[in-house]
Amino acid sequence: MHELPVTENILAIALEEAARVHARKVTAINLVVGDMASIVDDSVQFYFDFLSKDTPAAGAALNFRRVPPQLRCEECDEHFDFRMEELEQSLACPHCGGSRLEMVSGTEFYVESIDVDE
Ligand SMILES: [Zn+2]
């Protein structure tokens, strides 16, 4: 369970941003989650409800935007999205057919923006 420290981090960022813009209340936190990040949305929500009690972020909606992992072809340097359903097949670069692929993103998890009440 690594959602707890992650959620503490999200809350800290949201509260800092709210203080910076002198907001009374945080109404929503928009998060970006890579599909390969082993983050369980419900766990984050659970910890968030608990941690945000008695803060300006209490009751804020957490919006999760899932993004597909990105691969980079080592042959031609092309970047492309990786789709889970392709795991069954052999992965190849859609540009040159190369098979030396490197994962460049997919485990990200960060606060994209917050919505506040001023
Ligand atoms: Zn390629």
Side-chain angles (χ1 to χ4, degrees), residues 2-18 26 28-33 39-41 43-49 51-52 55 57 60-64 108-114:
H2 58 283
E3 278 91 351
L4 179 57
V6 163
T7 309
E8 283 171 336
N9 198 21
I10 293 167
L11 180 61
I13 291 168
L15 291 177
E16 204 172 289
E17 182 61 18
V26 178
I29 301 173
N30 303 306
L31 303 159
V32 173
V33 192
I39 295 286
V40 180
D41 299 5
S43 300
V44 175
Q45 183 74 62
F46 173 81
Y47 287 127
F48 184 82
D49 290 344
L51 293 168
S52 65
T55 76
L62 298 183
N63 300 318
F64 296 86
E108 58 270 75
F109 185 65
Y110 60 88
V111 177
E112 190 175 43
S113 62
I114 66 169

Side-chain angles (χ1 to χ4, degrees), residues 73 75-78 93 95-98:
C73 174
E75 319 267 342
C76 71
D77 205 35
E78 181 87 352
C93 168
H95 188 67
C96 74

Side-chain angles (χ1 to χ4, degrees), residues 23-95:
R24 274 190 305 117
K25 205 172 158 30
V26 178
T27 54
I29 301 173
N30 303 306
L31 303 159
V32 173
V33 192
D35 254 345
M36 303 301 281
S38 48
I39 295 286
V40 180
D41 299 5
D42 286 349
S43 300
V44 175
Q45 183 74 62
F46 173 81
Y47 287 127
F48 184 82
D49 290 344
F50 174 73
L51 293 168
S52 65
K53 243 177 238 169
D54 305 321
T55 76
L62 298 183
N63 300 318
F64 296 86
R65 185 161 70 84
R66 292 267 171 186
V67 293
Q70 276 238 316
L71 296 180
R72 185 183 75 85
C73 174
E74 288 182 16
E75 319 267 342
C76 71
D77 205 35
E78 181 87 352
H79 285 65
F80 57 96
D81 287 352
F82 166 78
R83 306 203 182 285
M84 282 301 191
E85 53 268 31
E86 281 166 16
L87 258 184
E88 301 295 315
Q89 309 153 24
S90 55
L91 273 172
C93 168
H95 188 67

